[in-house]
Amino acid sequence: MARHLITSAIPYINGIKHLGNLVGSQLPADLYARYLRQRGHEVLFLCATDEHGTPAELAAAKAGKPVADYCAEMHDVQAEIAAGFKLSFDHFGRSSSPQNHKLTQAFAGRLSDQGLIREVTEEQVYSNADGRFLPDRYIEGTCPNCGFDSARGDQCDNCTKQLDPTDLIDARSTISGSTDLEVRETKHLYLRQSAVKDQIAKWIDSKADWPILTTSIAKKWLTDGDGLQDRGITRDLAWGVPVKNGDADWPSMEGKVFYVWFDAPIEYIACAQEWVDAGKGNEWERWWRTDAGADDVTYTQFMGKDNVPFHTLSFPATIMGMDEDWKLVDYIKSFNYLNYDGGQFSTSRGRGVFMDQALEILPADYWRWWLLSHAPESSDAEFTWESFQTDVNKDLADVLGNFISRITKFCRSKFSEAVPEGPTYGPTENQLIADLTAKLAEYQGHMDTMEVRKSAADLRAIWVLGNEYLQSVAPWSTFKTDPDQAAMQVRMGLNLCRLYGVLSAPFIPDASADILAAMNASDAPWPDDIAAAVNTLQAGHAFTVSDITFRKITDDERAAWAEKFAGTRD
RNA sequence: GGCGCGGUAGCUCAGUUGGUUAGAGCGAUCGACUCAUAAUCGAUAGGUCGGGAGUUCAAGUCUCCCCCACGCCA
């Protein structure tokens, strides 16, 4: 038994995530966590909401609520949807938790002691009307270069010239539209990432088995231009972790907060504390401190490619800079983007399917199966309703669902709703067992290395073996001449149902639970030995014929959904 | 403009350190079966592996140049 710490990139609090976000981190992380648990490993699977920063403040203002209230509500909404998708977090925390506040401040203090933080005085644009400093992207104006009237503070989208906010003519706040802007001096803390650049480069180089997507992004940031740059870790905002040096005030930094990208990864650690404080576990240190038992922990992070720089560089720089006994990530599984029907998912334009909407139209397992079997591992992938309909109908309804249906109904009509008697398995069954054993080894191999698409293909192949078997032994024919032999064949079929319930659980947990319940098999350990597994249900073991496991998606539904989700979300 | 990931059968994709007639699923066609959600199983379908040049006994798989799509950055 091994110990696995698994984290999914933490979703931002602002709004409900779309299917692309889901398949890029939380869903594959859940697949892996479920699989490892079933294999008998000790797993701690953590996720949280990322709650700080300007977008949260603006969203709260738009909703007419205090930002803390807004975040609390949205956290609950996201938690409920995550539960709907059967994401099996051991804890779903919040980056705004007291635990994270304290830990983030402690980290900053320690980094300061290590000489890795420097203070920088810089000029930033302040909006009197908004009463806040404006990040570059919240400033618009006329480009001094080409005259384009909606150039952003950092760049003109029309002529692509790089800009400084102070270059803009008639600069205005995109929040309020106010032009009452001024430049003010403000002091910020910078994390001296450049000081640990070589250490990080060496560390990245040692990770030969990481996905190319992960290491190529990291190396680009390490080598581009002057290499890894120091990074500001504080902001002039009200909503966030107040800047402190441990428990002490930080002179001249009053009223400022840490930058969201500094405190968010630390929430991975704080979340383990929240998990303990919520009474769900104990000794969080043995997951995170190598001097407290975390030496034998394998830590795996899941994320979309946009998050890779922060997880390969910024957060490791923080951990390394601490120079204490904090656990560093062992493997980073990153994903490309899922596109929606020829374009991108768009949160702002409401284009594509969002997590809450998905659950409104179909059960979680449909989405889990399609998304995981099309996970954007090697390149961007594409969601189309045609693909979704045909693949789900074929794989889940026809191959798996119909298998369950045909064997249970046949048994009921020819024998009873109990496993029939019959002779021991013969050569054909032994061949099936050998084939299943080989396929299971492939499945496990791909699951162990987090090759999600290949794992899905292997699982499907295991389902197909059941149909091939029934087709070749044809118990409906055998029954006419040799009912005893047919009984044995049916017994095998019913045992396969139970086996599929066990093996499919990481992908489709609800359907798996239903199958196992129908087979009256509460105890469902991962099989070490297929021969034993298909002898689990003995003659006389009662089962029930369940309703359709997976209904099919109709052409009308497909057409209606395609139209509904192409446009704008309310 | 720089960089990154890709460009393999109608579609979605696999193709390890270069090596037998380039694979899978879906779709299509034909056949088998009839227990089942008109489900299943089998067979077939001739893709210049984006284009060109090169290295090699041998390249989809390495080198160089070019084209296309997407993304990131300046």
Side-chain angles (χ1 to χ4, degrees):
Chain A
M1 186 175 95
R3 302 178 61 223
H4 287 270
L5 173 62
I6 300 169
T7 59
S8 160
I10 64 178
Y12 197 68
I13 192 69
N14 175 17
I16 291 164
K17 304 299 116 178
H18 55 62
L19 296 181
N21 298 129
L22 178 64
V23 75
S25 55
Q26 293 176 315
L27 194 50
D30 181 67
L31 177 79
Y32 191 52
R34 285 179 175 276
Y35 168 72
L36 291 176
R37 288 195 198 102
Q38 276 192 269
R39 296 302 308 273
H41 299 304
E42 187 180 0
V43 172
L44 182 63
F45 176 29
L46 301 175
C47 192
T49 40
D50 177 14
E51 305 191 359
H52 296 136
T54 306
E57 289 186 331
L58 297 180
K62 189 177 177 185
K65 293 172 182 169
V67 64
D69 293 354
Y70 171 82
C71 287
E73 286 177 25
M74 287 308 298
H75 173 82
D76 290 346
V77 168
Q78 293 209 22
E80 187 181 348
I81 295 171
F85 273 97
K86 298 301 186 291
L87 301 175
S88 60
F89 308 133
D90 288 294
H91 189 71
F92 188 58
R94 304 181 59 185
S95 69
S96 63
S97 68
Q99 292 89 341
N100 195 39
H101 276 233
K102 195 170 168 59
L103 196 61
T104 297
Q105 290 161 345
F107 266 54
R110 168 73 182 179
L111 290 169
S112 180
D113 293 344
Q114 293 290 102
L116 291 172
I117 289 190
R118 61 186 173 91
E119 299 185 359
V120 174
T121 299
E122 53 194 12
E123 293 189 335
Q124 287 193 355
V125 173
Y126 185 86
S127 167
N128 289 302
D130 296 302
R132 65 164 70 228
F133 282 93
L134 296 177
D136 291 351
R137 60 179 166 145
Y138 288 108
I139 305 166
E140 272 186 9
T142 300
C143 175
N145 190 48
C146 71
F148 181 59
D149 65 0
S150 294
R152 287 178 301 138
D154 50 352
Q155 179 182 27
C156 174
D157 285 333
N158 187 49
C159 69
T160 74
K161 184 177 171 62
Q162 184 192 1
L163 301 172
D164 193 82
T166 53
D167 297 335
L168 293 171
I169 300 165
D170 295 331
R172 61 184 178 275
S173 161
T174 61
I175 300 169
S176 62
S178 169
T179 56
D180 184 11
L181 309 180
E182 63 184 54
V183 175
R184 288 189 185 181
E185 278 199 350
T186 181
K187 185 182 284 186
H188 283 295
L189 303 181
Y190 272 62
L191 176 62
R192 296 182 54 227
Q193 297 187 138
S194 55
V196 291
K197 181 178 70 175
D198 294 343
Q199 195 182 346
I200 290 176
K202 191 177 172 187
W203 175 66
I204 293 290
D205 281 338
S206 74
K207 301 300 183 184
D209 63 330
W210 283 14
I212 293 171
L213 182 65
T214 304
T215 52
S216 66
I217 292 174
K219 286 176 181 173
K220 169 182 161 40
W221 282 69
L222 279 166
T223 57
D224 253 26
D226 297 326
L228 189 60
Q229 299 298 299
D230 295 348
R231 188 176 190 102
I233 58 166
T234 56
R235 290 291 186 272
D236 288 293
L237 291 177
W239 175 238
V241 177
V243 176
K244 284 193 163 191
N245 185 329
D247 295 328
D249 289 338
W250 202 306
S252 79
M253 295 301 291
E254 295 83 3
K256 299 175 192 286
V257 299
F258 286 107
Y259 178 42
V260 59
W261 265 112
F262 182 69
D263 77 67
I266 296 173
E267 167 62 13
Y268 289 142
I269 305 173
C271 190
Q273 299 183 15
E274 292 177 48
W275 167 70
V276 171
D277 293 344
K280 299 174 180 172
N282 51 56
E283 297 183 80
W284 65 268
E285 293 91 342
R286 62 188 279 274
W287 291 99
W288 274 108
R289 295 285 304 205
T290 54
D291 59 347
D295 263 332
D296 64 345
V297 169
T298 300
Y299 177 25
T300 307
Q301 294 176 339
F302 289 79
M303 70 197 68
K305 59 184 171 185
D306 52 326
N307 274 327
V308 168
F310 301 100
H311 289 79
T312 53
L313 306 168
S314 303
F315 189 45
T318 300
I319 294 289
M320 289 176 183
M322 292 294 284
D323 195 26
E324 293 181 329
D325 296 295
W326 296 100
K327 178 77 191 166
L328 203 54
V329 65
D330 293 300
Y331 192 86
I332 294 179
K333 175 73 176 178
S334 56
F335 290 85
N336 288 283
Y337 292 144
L338 179 70
N339 290 319
Y340 180 81
D341 206 16
Q344 295 184 334
F345 277 87
S346 171
T347 303
S348 58
R349 284 178 295 144
R351 186 167 190 282
V353 185
F354 290 73
M355 286 173 71
D356 56 339
Q357 300 169 323
L359 289 178
E360 284 167 13
I361 61 177
L362 285 171
D365 284 347
Y366 285 69
W367 300 105
R368 291 179 61 105
W369 175 255
W370 192 90
L371 291 170
L372 289 168
S373 60
H374 295 75
E377 290 176 298
S378 57
S379 64
D380 289 354
E382 173 108 349
F383 176 92
T384 66
W385 286 102
E386 290 74 15
S387 169
F388 180 68
Q389 181 196 22
T390 57
D391 293 345
V392 163
N393 284 352
K394 187 72 181 175
D395 297 347
L396 295 183
D398 295 346
V399 175
L400 176 62
N402 181 58
F403 176 79
I404 307 294
S405 182
R406 67 192 298 204
I407 189 64
T408 53
K409 287 177 180 173
F410 180 75
C411 183
R412 178 176 63 184
S413 76
K414 301 301 183 193
F415 300 97
S416 69
E417 286 184 64
V419 177
E421 195 85 53
T424 55
Y425 293 143
T428 306
E429 287 70 32
N430 289 335
Q431 182 58 53
L432 171 63
I433 289 167
D435 292 343
L436 285 168
T437 300
K439 215 50 182 170
L440 176 62
E442 283 183 41
Y443 179 45
Q444 291 174 172
H446 286 139
M447 288 293 271
D448 286 336
T449 52
M450 291 163 261
E451 296 197 62
V452 178
R453 283 184 180 224
K454 289 179 180 175
S455 298
D458 291 335
L459 178 58
R460 187 186 188 283
I462 288 171
W463 297 338
V464 168
L465 286 176
N467 282 314
E468 288 177 1
Y469 170 74
L470 284 190
Q471 207 62 36
S472 68
V473 299
W476 48 90
S477 297
T478 314
F479 185 80
K480 294 170 187 167
T481 57
D482 189 349
D484 218 33
Q485 181 75 357
M488 179 270 281
Q489 294 163 347
V490 169
R491 194 174 80 235
M492 171 61 89
L494 293 169
N495 272 283
L496 288 177
C497 291
R498 191 200 68 90
L499 179 65
Y500 293 169
V502 175
L503 298 181
S504 307
F507 280 89
I508 46 174
D510 286 339
S512 286
D514 289 346
I515 291 169
L516 289 173
M519 300 316 295
N520 193 17
S522 54
D523 181 33
W526 195 267
D528 294 321
D529 175 21
I530 293 290
V534 295
N535 276 298
T536 303
L537 302 184
Q538 300 285 333
H541 181 96
F543 67 90
T544 54
V545 176
S546 49
D547 294 334
I548 299 296
T549 309
F550 294 100
R551 73 170 185 82
K552 293 198 186 191
I553 298 167
T554 66
D555 290 347
D556 287 346
E557 285 176 320
R558 185 199 69 199
W561 293 334
E563 183 176 355
K564 176 177 178 181
F565 296 107
T568 302
R569 186 179 167 89
D570 295 334

